[in-house]
Amino acid sequence: MAERVQQPPAKRLCCRPGYNTNCRQGQRAGGTLCGGSGAAQGGSSKTQTPESLLDISARKVAEKWPFQRVEERFERIPEPVQRRIVYWSFPRSEREICMYSSFSTGGEESGTSGENIDETRLPFRRGIALLESGCVDNVLQVGFHLSGTVTEPATPSEPELVCSVSVSFDRCKITAVTCSCGNKDIFYCAHVVALALYRVRKPEQVKLHLPISETLFQMNRDQLQKFVQYLITVHHTEVLPTAQKLADEILSTNSEINQVHGAPDPTAGASVDDENCWHLDEEQVQEQVKLFLSQGGYHGSGKQLNLLFSKVREMLKMRDSNGARMLTLITEQFMGDPRLALWRQQGTTMTDKYRQLWDELGTLWMCIVLNPHCKSEQKCVWLRQLRRWNSIDVCPWEDGNHGNELPNLTHALPHDLSSRPHRTVFTRAIEACDLHWQDTHLQRVITHDLCTHTHTHCPHDNHGSGGALFDARGWPLWHEHVPTACARVDALRSHGYPREALRLAIAIVNTLKRQQQKQLQLLRNHKKVTNMEGWVGHPLDPIGTLFSTLLDTGRGDEEGGNAFLDFSGTRRHTLSHSFIFNALLSLTDSTALIGLGQQRVMPDGLYAQEKVCRNEEQLLAKLQEVELNDALVKIFRKQAVFLLEAGPYSGLGELLYRESVPMHTFAKYLFTSLLPHDAELAYKIALRAMRLPVLETTAPSGDLSRPHHIVSMVPNRYPRWFTLSHIESQQCELASTMLTAAKGDGRKLETVLESIQKNIHSSSHIFKLAQDAFKIATLMDSLPDLTLLKVSLELGLQVMRMTLSTLNWRRREMVRWLVTCATEVGVYALDSIMQSWFTLFTPTEATSIVATTVMSNTTIVRLHLDCHQQENLASSARTLALQCAMKDPQNCSLSALTLCEKDHIAFETAYQIVLDAAVTGMSYTQLFTIARYMEHRGYPMRAYKLATLAMAHLNLSYNQDTHPAINDVLWACALSHSLGKNELSAVIPLVVKSVKCATVLSDILRRCTLTTPGMVALHSRRNSGKLMSLDKAPLRQLLDATIGAYINTTHSRLTHISPRHYSEFIEFLSKARETFLMAQDGHIQFTQFIDNLKQIYKGKKKLMMLVRERFG
């Protein structure tokens, strides 16, 4: 708390009309101890004595009446009475002091700096430590003002600090605090805490004086003058200017000070008009909230804001008016956050955590306006306030959307709501201002008189009245919009009425259970039913409110557990605590199951959809904390059966809307809970929940007689589900849980498999399920489960079919895994996937992965195959390879040749496929690769044939001297040269036609002149013979082509040459000269070539000078 160093001005003027100076003469002006006057001190004495009537009455007056009203009511108040009123006016409970000096009265706390700190460093704990260490001194109470000094002991880094502390109080509340420590925080500093607790714990040690005005009334003129002069002398540097100013004004007849009757007294207590509330530093609240908001969720600011909201709830629970006051200050800062306008302008959404803070803000305002004891005047003030915030353009909307987002593609209600005004986070609080608590039956529900009420004259549930006030057992019902009714429960809890909240919560749950039965009857009578509003993910969180109210009371976290007895009509001594606890747990679980199982339409917008998922997971997490006993299992079974039969009211019923929120997460919880007790029911629930109709491409027309019926409320629109990926993951988790549980049960595995194949539409999730099933089936500590392995294989095959014609980056992984799975199943599975490869794999996958893996030694060893089985499997692989080669010769021919090596007929067939495809369907790269393979396998003539076919597809231009095919061309020429002159003669024309690059041609020419054709045979045998002449075919043709290529390349280069390439060009001409000189008249040709260059390109003087220097 930012304690002000200056004492606040007095709240009221004090005077004594007609005061007689003689009546007080001789009376003691000094003080007495707070515990004086001989009266009982409320526990300060060690002996137990009856409390005096004076103390009883003074305490009541001190709690309720401002002291000014006491003075106005009685002409003269005896001094002992004044002292007792002043004494009892100070707070007697440490709870409020703790509330105003720490974030929480218990549990984990954090400092307002946003960092977790040691609990001993919290102001309240530090204040206790200072008090217990004897650091509080000079404690003085003058009227309604307490002062003292608190000494902060010296530390190695800080010197001793003496703080002057003063506290004003009224009607058992601290109304103002000051401390010289200069601490700035929302809450009281440790020094204020220490002084206040000193007064609470040691009232007998505090010297108590009446208000200073009472003491002054007892003085005569001389005493007053002496008092004033001494006061000025002691504090002349501080008060002398003020004293002189006041003296001048008093001596001036017409001064303002003389126009007012009486004088201010800061110790005289509150006036009639003063608001009675605890001191709250509004400025610091605003500054701290603004700071946290400016940090944008970093440095723990989100947590600190949540702690502030918790503090508001704590104040409300204490029925402290500062709760609403503090929330108003927080809201003003939230509304002033500059990011709101920026986000609205940019069309971006606020962060999820920030959005949740706004939700809590709206919920707290609902609680405040629903205060059952709120005055109408105060509610009007809040309503004006809320309407003002609601009208601001940047006020966040309830569903989290912005106006410039994409239009809604589905609506929660069947009629068009596009023209509906947007609801803000304050809309529900504004609407709640119209609610009241005066309903007779509502008062009957929440009062204490139900345990004696016989309900004789009240309407009971006769299964025909929709508004029955009691059910057949005589338990009260409350028919109201469920979220609104639950908001009442939250308000009652928040304002410190736990018993009333519990009573209303029980009535609501009983009403929900009764409505369930009526819904089932409506369905059986073929009456039209609708159920459009979802309670899980609702802005008011009705199910979460009911659940927390029942569970916390049942566990004893809140008072009011005996309120359950008021509904039973049973004498209290006949019911044990365990019975009450179990009964409340039963209601708790029923509430959660009803809410989670409700069929509800997926709301619009990313935030609203994420909230549905988040609230569902939070509820399930709370449910999992409750240990199931036989009674709860019975409730689970009963509720599960109802959900299966409840038609459109249930998300697990047969009638399912296309836009309904899926039940996967909820069904998974039910499945695991019911499985040990009723496996058949558990599987029924889980299998029914596997549906995801939003992904169905078509929806059948309405027909209630058809099972698993899907109805689209907006048939021409595809709903935009932002959380679809998460929902599909939950669907996958449910299926995986069923697969795990069904291990060893062939019938159930088959049923689960059919459900997966029908309802899951994501290949990635089906692949995950296949992998999960494979892992479960092949656990190391047991023999493989063949049935589950087959399920895994079936799922894998479905994945292959789904991804065959679509792009999937995990495709190769999926294919390899499928072969592994089929291997585990057995040889017949491998043979089956090869027989039907065209429906599962691409030709490339079938040959390069499937057939290759099947033919590997690892697979043969793993399957323990005999020779006959190996041959059958190899025959299937070869057949697959040939089929793939026919379908995709470009990519599969080489693999087919490799797989068919050991079968002559199959190999020849594959080779013929290559030759047939080589003319039109294969590139030179593919043909060169197969040709090299043929040479490697010992088929040089076939390699030569394929190389010549490849050359026919090749075209190398003059500047492609680094083309990757150059090595293939050189290899083809070397192969032809090694085979003989005829082969070389045949290939050179192809080279001349396909290759225009001079350096490549010169390289080929040089290699052909080094050895005799056919001289270097494949088996390294040397043949005698003469080198081929460059003047005769075929080398003459190659030489002329090479010289021509050099000439053409030279002119091409000179067209765009730059000076930095001159030296490179001269080297190129040097290589050209070497080729020219290989011809008989080469020297003459080269000279003429150089002369032509000099003439044609004489403008390139520097370059031509370099040419002359090198070539003359």
Coordinates of all heavy atoms in Angstrom, one line a residue, residues 137 254 497 592 625 702 844 886 936 1009 1048 1080:
D137 N 7.0 -0.3 19.1 CA 7.2 0.5 20.4 C 6.4 1.8 20.3 O 5.9 2.2 19.2 CB 8.7 0.9 20.5 CG 9.0 1.2 22.0 OD1 8.1 1.1 22.8 OD2 10.2 1.7 22.2
N254 N -14.0 37.9 9.5 CA -14.7 37.5 8.3 C -14.1 36.3 7.6 O -14.4 36.0 6.5 CB -14.9 38.7 7.3 CG -15.7 39.8 7.9 OD1 -16.6 39.6 8.7 ND2 -15.3 41.0 7.6
Y497 N -21.9 -17.3 1.2 CA -23.1 -18.0 1.5 C -23.0 -19.5 1.1 O -23.7 -19.9 0.2 CB -24.4 -17.4 1.0 CG -24.6 -15.9 1.4 CD1 -24.2 -14.9 0.5 CD2 -25.1 -15.6 2.6 CE1 -24.4 -13.6 0.9 CE2 -25.3 -14.3 3.0 CZ -24.9 -13.3 2.1 OH -25.0 -12.0 2.5
A592 N -21.4 -33.8 -13.5 CA -20.4 -33.8 -14.6 C -20.8 -34.6 -15.8 O -20.6 -34.3 -16.9 CB -19.1 -34.3 -14.0
E625 N -10.0 -37.2 -10.2 CA -9.5 -37.1 -8.8 C -10.4 -37.8 -7.8 O -10.0 -38.1 -6.7 CB -9.4 -35.6 -8.4 CG -8.3 -34.8 -9.2 CD -8.3 -33.4 -8.8 OE1 -9.1 -33.0 -8.0 OE2 -7.5 -32.6 -9.4
G702 N -33.5 -36.7 -42.8 CA -34.0 -37.0 -41.4 C -34.8 -38.2 -41.3 O -35.7 -38.4 -42.1
T844 N 7.2 -47.5 -58.2 CA 8.5 -47.3 -57.6 C 8.6 -47.9 -56.2 O 9.6 -48.5 -55.8 CB 8.8 -45.8 -57.6 OG1 8.7 -45.3 -58.9 CG2 10.2 -45.5 -57.1
M886 N 6.5 -52.6 -66.6 CA 5.6 -52.3 -67.7 C 4.8 -51.0 -67.5 O 4.6 -50.2 -68.4 CB 4.6 -53.5 -67.9 CG 5.2 -54.8 -68.4 SD 5.6 -54.6 -70.2 CE 4.0 -54.5 -70.9
H936 N 28.2 -53.9 -65.8 CA 28.7 -54.5 -64.5 C 28.3 -55.9 -64.4 O 29.0 -56.7 -63.8 CB 28.1 -53.6 -63.4 CG 28.4 -54.1 -62.0 ND1 29.7 -54.0 -61.5 CD2 27.7 -54.7 -61.1 CE1 29.7 -54.5 -60.3 NE2 28.5 -55.0 -60.0
T1009 N 42.6 -41.9 -79.7 CA 43.9 -42.1 -80.4 C 45.0 -42.7 -79.6 O 46.1 -42.9 -80.1 CB 44.4 -40.7 -80.9 OG1 44.5 -39.8 -79.7 CG2 43.4 -40.1 -81.9
N1048 N 33.1 -22.5 -83.6 CA 31.8 -21.9 -83.2 C 31.8 -21.4 -81.8 O 31.2 -20.4 -81.5 CB 30.8 -23.0 -83.4 CG 30.5 -23.4 -84.8 OD1 30.7 -22.6 -85.7 ND2 30.1 -24.6 -85.1
Q1080 N 46.4 -32.9 -90.6 CA 47.6 -32.7 -91.4 C 47.9 -31.2 -91.7 O 49.0 -30.7 -91.7 CB 47.5 -33.5 -92.7 CG 47.7 -35.0 -92.5 CD 47.7 -35.8 -93.7 OE1 47.5 -35.2 -94.8 NE2 48.0 -37.1 -93.7

